[in-house]
PDB file of all heavy atoms in Angstrom:
ATOM      1  N   GLY A  90      99.434 103.089  95.059  1.00 95.00           N
ATOM      2  CA  GLY A  90      98.197 103.494  95.272  1.00 95.00           C
ATOM      3  C   GLY A  90      97.172 102.698  94.577  1.00 95.00           C
ATOM      4  O   GLY A  90      97.457 102.249  93.358  1.00 95.00           O
ATOM      5  N   TYR A  91      96.082 102.403  95.244  1.00 95.00           N
ATOM      6  CA  TYR A  91      94.949 101.669  94.618  1.00 95.00           C
ATOM      7  C   TYR A  91      93.703 102.514  94.812  1.00 95.00           C
ATOM      8  O   TYR A  91      93.750 103.535  95.594  1.00 95.00           O
ATOM      9  CB  TYR A  91      94.841 100.227  95.180  1.00 95.00           C
ATOM     10  CG  TYR A  91      96.088  99.390  95.030  1.00 95.00           C
ATOM     11  CD1 TYR A  91      97.180  99.493  95.920  1.00 95.00           C
ATOM     12  CD2 TYR A  91      96.188  98.620  93.897  1.00 95.00           C
ATOM     13  CE1 TYR A  91      98.276  98.798  95.718  1.00 95.00           C
ATOM     14  CE2 TYR A  91      97.418  97.844  93.723  1.00 95.00           C
ATOM     15  CZ  TYR A  91      98.493  97.942  94.592  1.00 95.00           C
ATOM     16  OH  TYR A  91      99.504  97.253  94.468  1.00 95.00           O
ATOM     17  N   ASP A  92      92.608 101.976  94.347  1.00 96.00           N
ATOM     18  CA  ASP A  92      91.356 102.782  94.554  1.00 96.00           C
ATOM     19  C   ASP A  92      90.976 102.988  95.980  1.00 96.00           C
ATOM     20  O   ASP A  92      90.591 104.077  96.261  1.00 96.00           O
ATOM     21  CB  ASP A  92      90.181 102.057  93.804  1.00 96.00           C
ATOM     22  CG  ASP A  92      90.347 102.052  92.248  1.00 96.00           C
ATOM     23  OD1 ASP A  92      91.276 102.783  91.806  1.00 96.00           O
ATOM     24  OD2 ASP A  92      89.643 101.308  91.610  1.00 96.00           O
ATOM     25  N   ARG A  93      91.166 101.897  96.714  1.00 97.00           N
ATOM     26  CA  ARG A  93      90.683 102.079  98.104  1.00 97.00           C
ATOM     27  C   ARG A  93      91.733 101.986  99.165  1.00 97.00           C
ATOM     28  O   ARG A  93      91.492 101.951 100.424  1.00 97.00           O
ATOM     29  CB  ARG A  93      89.601 101.051  98.450  1.00 97.00           C
ATOM     30  CG  ARG A  93      88.228 101.432  97.741  1.00 97.00           C
ATOM     31  CD  ARG A  93      87.091 100.659  98.280  1.00 97.00           C
ATOM     32  NE  ARG A  93      87.305  99.233  98.278  1.00 97.00           N
ATOM     33  CZ  ARG A  93      87.129  98.363  97.303  1.00 97.00           C
ATOM     34  NH1 ARG A  93      86.691  98.996  96.161  1.00 97.00           N
ATOM     35  NH2 ARG A  93      87.331  97.162  97.449  1.00 97.00           N
ATOM     36  N   ARG A  94      92.941 101.797  98.728  1.00 96.00           N
ATOM     37  CA  ARG A  94      94.110 101.785  99.755  1.00 96.00           C
ATOM     38  C   ARG A  94      95.435 102.299  99.121  1.00 96.00           C
ATOM     39  O   ARG A  94      95.590 102.309  97.891  1.00 96.00           O
ATOM     40  CB  ARG A  94      94.220 100.404 100.418  1.00 96.00           C
ATOM     41  CG  ARG A  94      94.666  99.445  99.408  1.00 96.00           C
ATOM     42  CD  ARG A  94      94.632  97.993  99.971  1.00 96.00           C
ATOM     43  NE  ARG A  94      94.907  97.060  98.968  1.00 96.00           N
ATOM     44  CZ  ARG A  94      96.014  96.791  98.397  1.00 96.00           C
ATOM     45  NH1 ARG A  94      97.091  97.404  98.880  1.00 96.00           N
ATOM     46  NH2 ARG A  94      96.215  95.947  97.472  1.00 96.00           N
ATOM     47  N   VAL A  95      96.311 102.575 100.059  1.00 97.00           N
ATOM     48  CA  VAL A  95      97.653 102.945  99.618  1.00 97.00           C
ATOM     49  C   VAL A  95      98.577 102.160 100.455  1.00 97.00           C
ATOM     50  O   VAL A  95      98.635 102.190 101.761  1.00 97.00           O
ATOM     51  CB  VAL A  95      97.992 104.421  99.785  1.00 97.00           C
ATOM     52  CG1 VAL A  95      99.375 104.738  99.587  1.00 97.00           C
ATOM     53  CG2 VAL A  95      97.025 105.292  98.968  1.00 97.00           C
ATOM     54  N   THR A  96      99.428 101.256  99.831  1.00 96.00           N
ATOM     55  CA  THR A  96     100.266 100.382 100.494  1.00 96.00           C
ATOM     56  C   THR A  96     101.698 100.821 100.384  1.00 96.00           C
ATOM     57  O   THR A  96     102.216 101.062  99.347  1.00 96.00           O
ATOM     58  CB  THR A  96     100.122  98.893  99.942  1.00 96.00           C
ATOM     59  OG1 THR A  96      98.741  98.490 100.106  1.00 96.00           O
ATOM     60  CG2 THR A  96     101.034  97.957 100.695  1.00 96.00           C
ATOM     61  N   LEU A  97     102.379 100.837 101.451  1.00 97.00           N
ATOM     62  CA  LEU A  97     103.806 101.108 101.526  1.00 97.00           C
ATOM     63  C   LEU A  97     104.629  99.864 101.835  1.00 97.00           C
ATOM     64  O   LEU A  97     104.332  99.192 102.795  1.00 97.00           O
ATOM     65  CB  LEU A  97     104.068 102.192 102.585  1.00 97.00           C
ATOM     66  CG  LEU A  97     105.627 102.457 102.699  1.00 97.00           C
ATOM     67  CD1 LEU A  97     106.096 103.277 101.505  1.00 97.00           C
ATOM     68  CD2 LEU A  97     105.903 103.290 103.961  1.00 97.00           C
ATOM     69  N   CYS A  98     105.522  99.620 100.958  1.00 96.00           N
ATOM     70  CA  CYS A  98     106.412  98.376 101.119  1.00 96.00           C
ATOM     71  C   CYS A  98     107.788  98.931 101.663  1.00 96.00           C
ATOM     72  O   CYS A  98     108.384  99.711 101.011  1.00 96.00           O
ATOM     73  CB  CYS A  98     106.548  97.752  99.796  1.00 96.00           C
ATOM     74  SG  CYS A  98     107.545  96.247  99.794  1.00 96.00           S
ATOM     75  N   ILE A  99     108.142  98.410 102.825  1.00 97.00           N
ATOM     76  CA  ILE A  99     109.422  98.906 103.444  1.00 97.00           C
ATOM     77  C   ILE A  99     110.409  97.823 103.679  1.00 97.00           C
ATOM     78  O   ILE A  99     110.135  96.645 103.608  1.00 97.00           O
ATOM     79  CB  ILE A  99     109.024  99.465 104.887  1.00 97.00           C
ATOM     80  CG1 ILE A  99     108.388  98.509 105.802  1.00 97.00           C
ATOM     81  CG2 ILE A  99     108.192 100.814 104.729  1.00 97.00           C
ATOM     82  CD1 ILE A  99     108.316  98.997 107.186  1.00 97.00           C
ATOM     83  N   SER A 100     111.676  98.203 103.764  1.00 97.00           N
ATOM     84  CA  SER A 100     112.802  97.386 103.936  1.00 97.00           C
ATOM     85  C   SER A 100     113.183  97.259 105.482  1.00 97.00           C
ATOM     86  O   SER A 100     112.960  98.172 106.240  1.00 97.00           O
ATOM     87  CB  SER A 100     114.007  97.846 103.266  1.00 97.00           C
ATOM     88  OG  SER A 100     113.832  97.902 101.837  1.00 97.00           O
ATOM     89  N   SER A 101     113.657  96.058 105.869  1.00 98.00           N
ATOM     90  CA  SER A 101     114.015  95.859 107.282  1.00 98.00           C
ATOM     91  C   SER A 101     115.546  95.557 107.374  1.00 98.00           C
ATOM     92  O   SER A 101     116.008  95.633 108.510  1.00 98.00           O
ATOM     93  CB  SER A 101     113.291  94.604 107.764  1.00 98.00           C
ATOM     94  OG  SER A 101     113.448  93.537 107.080  1.00 98.00           O
ATOM     95  N   GLN A 102     116.197  95.378 106.229  1.00 97.00           N
ATOM     96  CA  GLN A 102     117.701  95.229 106.315  1.00 97.00           C
ATOM     97  C   GLN A 102     118.218  95.769 104.966  1.00 97.00           C
ATOM     98  O   GLN A 102     117.541  95.884 104.020  1.00 97.00           O
ATOM     99  CB  GLN A 102     118.074  93.707 106.337  1.00 97.00           C
ATOM    100  CG  GLN A 102     117.527  92.933 107.532  1.00 97.00           C
ATOM    101  CD  GLN A 102     117.898  91.415 107.491  1.00 97.00           C
ATOM    102  OE1 GLN A 102     117.680  90.809 106.480  1.00 97.00           O
ATOM    103  NE2 GLN A 102     118.370  91.026 108.613  1.00 97.00           N
ATOM    104  N   ALA A 103     119.522  96.162 105.069  1.00 96.00           N
ATOM    105  CA  ALA A 103     120.236  96.589 103.851  1.00 96.00           C
ATOM    106  C   ALA A 103     120.872  95.244 103.387  1.00 96.00           C
ATOM    107  O   ALA A 103     121.625  94.568 104.003  1.00 96.00           O
ATOM    108  CB  ALA A 103     121.272  97.524 104.137  1.00 96.00           C
ATOM    109  N   GLY A 104     120.351  94.879 102.228  1.00 95.00           N
ATOM    110  CA  GLY A 104     120.726  93.423 101.730  1.00 95.00           C
ATOM    111  C   GLY A 104     120.023  92.385 102.496  1.00 95.00           C
ATOM    112  O   GLY A 104     119.002  92.732 103.238  1.00 95.00           O
ATOM    113  N   CYS A 105     120.306  91.145 102.363  1.00 96.00           N
ATOM    114  CA  CYS A 105     119.692  90.026 103.016  1.00 96.00           C
ATOM    115  C   CYS A 105     120.539  88.866 102.999  1.00 96.00           C
ATOM    116  O   CYS A 105     121.313  88.595 102.053  1.00 96.00           O
ATOM    117  CB  CYS A 105     118.414  89.647 102.208  1.00 96.00           C
ATOM    118  SG  CYS A 105     117.372  88.484 103.112  1.00 96.00           S
ATOM    119  N   ALA A 106     120.599  88.015 104.055  1.00 97.00           N
ATOM    120  CA  ALA A 106     121.365  86.864 104.273  1.00 97.00           C
ATOM    121  C   ALA A 106     120.704  85.636 103.806  1.00 97.00           C
ATOM    122  O   ALA A 106     121.340  84.558 103.913  1.00 97.00           O
ATOM    123  CB  ALA A 106     121.896  86.832 105.666  1.00 97.00           C
ATOM    124  N   MET A 107     119.438  85.707 103.424  1.00 97.00           N
ATOM    125  CA  MET A 107     118.687  84.400 103.259  1.00 97.00           C
ATOM    126  C   MET A 107     119.064  83.756 101.889  1.00 97.00           C
ATOM    127  O   MET A 107     118.851  82.523 101.770  1.00 97.00           O
ATOM    128  CB  MET A 107     117.203  84.712 103.252  1.00 97.00           C
ATOM    129  CG  MET A 107     116.717  85.264 104.612  1.00 97.00           C
ATOM    130  SD  MET A 107     116.922  83.982 105.937  1.00 97.00           S
ATOM    131  CE  MET A 107     117.853  84.922 107.194  1.00 97.00           C
ATOM    132  N   ALA A 108     119.489  84.512 100.884  1.00 96.00           N
ATOM    133  CA  ALA A 108     120.018  83.978  99.647  1.00 96.00           C
ATOM    134  C   ALA A 108     119.076  83.125  98.873  1.00 96.00           C
ATOM    135  O   ALA A 108     119.409  82.125  98.212  1.00 96.00           O
ATOM    136  CB  ALA A 108     121.297  83.131  99.929  1.00 96.00           C
ATOM    137  N   CYS A 109     117.719  83.561  98.947  1.00 96.00           N
ATOM    138  CA  CYS A 109     116.752  82.950  97.944  1.00 96.00           C
ATOM    139  C   CYS A 109     117.224  83.080  96.585  1.00 96.00           C
ATOM    140  O   CYS A 109     117.590  84.230  96.196  1.00 96.00           O
ATOM    141  CB  CYS A 109     115.454  83.453  98.244  1.00 96.00           C
ATOM    142  SG  CYS A 109     114.866  83.317  99.971  1.00 96.00           S
ATOM    143  N   THR A 110     117.239  82.002  95.737  1.00 95.00           N
ATOM    144  CA  THR A 110     117.982  82.077  94.542  1.00 95.00           C
ATOM    145  C   THR A 110     117.404  83.079  93.500  1.00 95.00           C
ATOM    146  O   THR A 110     118.106  83.647  92.695  1.00 95.00           O
ATOM    147  CB  THR A 110     117.893  80.706  93.885  1.00 95.00           C
ATOM    148  OG1 THR A 110     116.577  80.227  93.898  1.00 95.00           O
ATOM    149  CG2 THR A 110     118.784  79.708  94.640  1.00 95.00           C
ATOM    150  N   PHE A 111     116.115  83.311  93.634  1.00 94.00           N
ATOM    151  CA  PHE A 111     115.374  84.077  92.596  1.00 94.00           C
ATOM    152  C   PHE A 111     115.294  85.550  93.049  1.00 94.00           C
ATOM    153  O   PHE A 111     114.704  86.391  92.272  1.00 94.00           O
ATOM    154  CB  PHE A 111     113.948  83.504  92.353  1.00 94.00           C
ATOM    155  CG  PHE A 111     113.210  83.350  93.661  1.00 94.00           C
ATOM    156  CD1 PHE A 111     112.373  84.438  94.236  1.00 94.00           C
ATOM    157  CD2 PHE A 111     113.300  82.236  94.515  1.00 94.00           C
ATOM    158  CE1 PHE A 111     111.682  84.290  95.307  1.00 94.00           C
ATOM    159  CE2 PHE A 111     112.721  82.183  95.698  1.00 94.00           C
ATOM    160  CZ  PHE A 111     111.903  83.195  96.079  1.00 94.00           C
ATOM    161  N   CYS A 112     115.816  85.942  94.189  1.00 93.00           N
ATOM    162  CA  CYS A 112     115.569  87.301  94.747  1.00 93.00           C
ATOM    163  C   CYS A 112     116.727  88.154  94.531  1.00 93.00           C
ATOM    164  O   CYS A 112     117.954  87.794  94.832  1.00 93.00           O
ATOM    165  CB  CYS A 112     115.228  87.155  96.215  1.00 93.00           C
ATOM    166  SG  CYS A 112     115.235  88.752  97.054  1.00 93.00           S
ATOM    167  N   ALA A 113     116.623  89.301  93.964  1.00 90.00           N
ATOM    168  CA  ALA A 113     117.700  90.275  93.608  1.00 90.00           C
ATOM    169  C   ALA A 113     118.459  90.609  94.945  1.00 90.00           C
ATOM    170  O   ALA A 113     119.688  90.613  94.908  1.00 90.00           O
ATOM    171  CB  ALA A 113     117.177  91.432  92.959  1.00 90.00           C
ATOM    172  N   THR A 114     117.790  90.902  95.949  1.00 91.00           N
ATOM    173  CA  THR A 114     118.377  91.251  97.223  1.00 91.00           C
ATOM    174  C   THR A 114     119.231  90.126  97.716  1.00 91.00           C
ATOM    175  O   THR A 114     120.459  90.400  98.175  1.00 91.00           O
ATOM    176  CB  THR A 114     117.412  91.696  98.355  1.00 91.00           C
ATOM    177  OG1 THR A 114     116.525  92.674  97.709  1.00 91.00           O
ATOM    178  CG2 THR A 114     118.080  92.249  99.605  1.00 91.00           C
ATOM    179  N   GLY A 115     118.743  88.971  97.824  1.00 90.00           N
ATOM    180  CA  GLY A 115     119.502  87.791  98.206  1.00 90.00           C
ATOM    181  C   GLY A 115     120.742  87.592  97.402  1.00 90.00           C
ATOM    182  O   GLY A 115     121.704  87.236  97.945  1.00 90.00           O
ATOM    183  N   GLN A 116     120.708  87.944  96.155  1.00 89.00           N
ATOM    184  CA  GLN A 116     121.821  87.653  95.312  1.00 89.00           C
ATOM    185  C   GLN A 116     123.055  88.585  95.673  1.00 89.00           C
ATOM    186  O   GLN A 116     124.165  88.277  95.360  1.00 89.00           O
ATOM    187  CB  GLN A 116     121.467  87.842  93.766  1.00 89.00           C
ATOM    188  CG  GLN A 116     120.499  86.682  93.272  1.00 89.00           C
ATOM    189  CD  GLN A 116     119.799  87.027  92.006  1.00 89.00           C
ATOM    190  OE1 GLN A 116     120.003  88.021  91.436  1.00 89.00           O
ATOM    191  NE2 GLN A 116     118.885  86.167  91.584  1.00 89.00           N
ATOM    192  N   PHE A 117     122.657  89.708  96.256  1.00 87.00           N
ATOM    193  CA  PHE A 117     123.737  90.735  96.562  1.00 87.00           C
ATOM    194  C   PHE A 117     124.255  90.551  97.989  1.00 87.00           C
ATOM    195  O   PHE A 117     125.178  91.298  98.403  1.00 87.00           O
ATOM    196  CB  PHE A 117     123.228  92.075  96.244  1.00 87.00           C
ATOM    197  CG  PHE A 117     123.167  92.326  94.766  1.00 87.00           C
ATOM    198  CD1 PHE A 117     121.834  92.391  94.185  1.00 87.00           C
ATOM    199  CD2 PHE A 117     124.219  92.440  93.964  1.00 87.00           C
ATOM    200  CE1 PHE A 117     121.724  92.625  92.797  1.00 87.00           C
ATOM    201  CE2 PHE A 117     124.121  92.704  92.611  1.00 87.00           C
ATOM    202  CZ  PHE A 117     122.832  92.737  91.972  1.00 87.00           C
ATOM    203  N   GLY A 118     123.663  89.711  98.795  1.00 93.00           N
ATOM    204  CA  GLY A 118     124.252  89.417 100.106  1.00 93.00           C
ATOM    205  C   GLY A 118     123.733  90.387 101.142  1.00 93.00           C
ATOM    206  O   GLY A 118     122.963  91.309 100.891  1.00 93.00           O
ATOM    207  N   PHE A 119     124.246  90.185 102.344  1.00 96.00           N
ATOM    208  CA  PHE A 119     123.799  90.939 103.541  1.00 96.00           C
ATOM    209  C   PHE A 119     124.777  92.078 103.799  1.00 96.00           C
ATOM    210  O   PHE A 119     125.939  91.956 103.779  1.00 96.00           O
ATOM    211  CB  PHE A 119     123.835  90.025 104.765  1.00 96.00           C
ATOM    212  CG  PHE A 119     123.432  90.700 106.034  1.00 96.00           C
ATOM    213  CD1 PHE A 119     122.108  91.181 106.220  1.00 96.00           C
ATOM    214  CD2 PHE A 119     124.264  90.844 107.049  1.00 96.00           C
ATOM    215  CE1 PHE A 119     121.698  91.759 107.397  1.00 96.00           C
ATOM    216  CE2 PHE A 119     124.029  91.401 108.237  1.00 96.00           C
ATOM    217  CZ  PHE A 119     122.682  91.917 108.395  1.00 96.00           C
ATOM    218  N   GLU A 120     124.191  93.299 104.042  1.00 96.00           N
ATOM    219  CA  GLU A 120     124.909  94.430 104.527  1.00 96.00           C
ATOM    220  C   GLU A 120     124.870  94.729 105.920  1.00 96.00           C
ATOM    221  O   GLU A 120     125.834  94.552 106.659  1.00 96.00           O
ATOM    222  CB  GLU A 120     124.494  95.618 103.638  1.00 96.00           C
ATOM    223  CG  GLU A 120     125.627  96.411 103.077  1.00 96.00           C
ATOM    224  CD  GLU A 120     125.064  97.597 102.215  1.00 96.00           C
ATOM    225  OE1 GLU A 120     124.258  97.315 101.283  1.00 96.00           O
ATOM    226  OE2 GLU A 120     125.402  98.754 102.457  1.00 96.00           O
ATOM    227  N   ARG A 121     123.708  94.995 106.405  1.00 98.00           N
ATOM    228  CA  ARG A 121     123.539  95.169 107.901  1.00 98.00           C
ATOM    229  C   ARG A 121     122.006  95.342 108.149  1.00 98.00           C
ATOM    230  O   ARG A 121     121.175  95.463 107.310  1.00 98.00           O
ATOM    231  CB  ARG A 121     124.205  96.410 108.406  1.00 98.00           C
ATOM    232  CG  ARG A 121     123.564  97.690 107.891  1.00 98.00           C
ATOM    233  CD  ARG A 121     124.215  98.910 108.723  1.00 98.00           C
ATOM    234  NE  ARG A 121     123.936 100.304 108.236  1.00 98.00           N
ATOM    235  CZ  ARG A 121     122.828 100.882 108.483  1.00 98.00           C
ATOM    236  NH1 ARG A 121     121.933 100.394 109.184  1.00 98.00           N
ATOM    237  NH2 ARG A 121     122.632 102.115 107.966  1.00 98.00           N
ATOM    238  N   HIS A 122     121.650  95.116 109.478  1.00 98.00           N
ATOM    239  CA  HIS A 122     120.334  95.399 109.876  1.00 98.00           C
ATOM    240  C   HIS A 122     120.005  96.846 109.822  1.00 98.00           C
ATOM    241  O   HIS A 122     120.803  97.665 110.014  1.00 98.00           O
ATOM    242  CB  HIS A 122     120.084  94.964 111.389  1.00 98.00           C
ATOM    243  CG  HIS A 122     120.311  93.514 111.623  1.00 98.00           C
ATOM    244  ND1 HIS A 122     119.648  92.468 110.940  1.00 98.00           N
ATOM    245  CD2 HIS A 122     121.066  92.781 112.517  1.00 98.00           C
ATOM    246  CE1 HIS A 122     119.964  91.277 111.387  1.00 98.00           C
ATOM    247  NE2 HIS A 122     120.763  91.440 112.402  1.00 98.00           N
TER     248      HIS A 122
END
Side-chain angles (χ1 to χ4, degrees):
Y91 300 86
D92 293 348
R93 286 196 309 275
R94 64 185 170 79
V95 173
T96 298
L97 177 70
C98 179
I99 58 173
S100 296
S101 56
Q102 298 177 314
C105 186
M107 297 297 128
C109 301
T110 52
F111 53 91
C112 171
T114 306
Q116 292 164 3
F117 291 105
F119 178 67
E120 224 176 305
R121 68 168 171 83
H122 293 310

